Amino acid sequence: MTACSSDESRIYDAYKCANVAQILGRQEQASAAVMKVKPLLDQKTGNPGQYMMGLRDKFTDDMALYKLSPRGQAEKISDIYESGTCQKLYQ
């Protein structure tokens, strides 16, 4: 169970980092983050589209950008992009 949960967490982190990189127009970093967890994603069973929709929903709920001012949104996106977790995924 722990390994599964750890994999889920790593996939979500990569998804989140890829999304903020994409928002900032940094396609290379977004692709790098996704490629880091591609083997984990490939192991997922069931409907990959549904799995990705679940990640998108979790991202939307966690970020809650709609609750922030434009400045608050920019700061939150920038903070995530510059986080140690994302910087490792972008390399």
Side-chain angles (χ1 to χ4, degrees), residues 20-64:
V20 297
Q22 207 164 27
I23 289 168
L24 294 171
R26 307 224 166 108
Q27 298 305 325
E28 197 173 304
Q29 286 86 353
S31 294
V34 171
M35 292 310 291
K36 289 273 178 25
V37 296
K38 187 165 179 0
L40 296 175
L41 276 171
D42 290 345
Q43 291 173 5
K44 287 285 163 208
T45 57
N47 183 342
Q50 189 172 2
Y51 182 77
M52 294 307 285
M53 282 181 18
L55 288 176
R56 185 193 68 213
D57 292 346
K58 180 173 172 36
F59 177 76
T60 301
D61 291 345
D62 287 351
M63 293 290 286

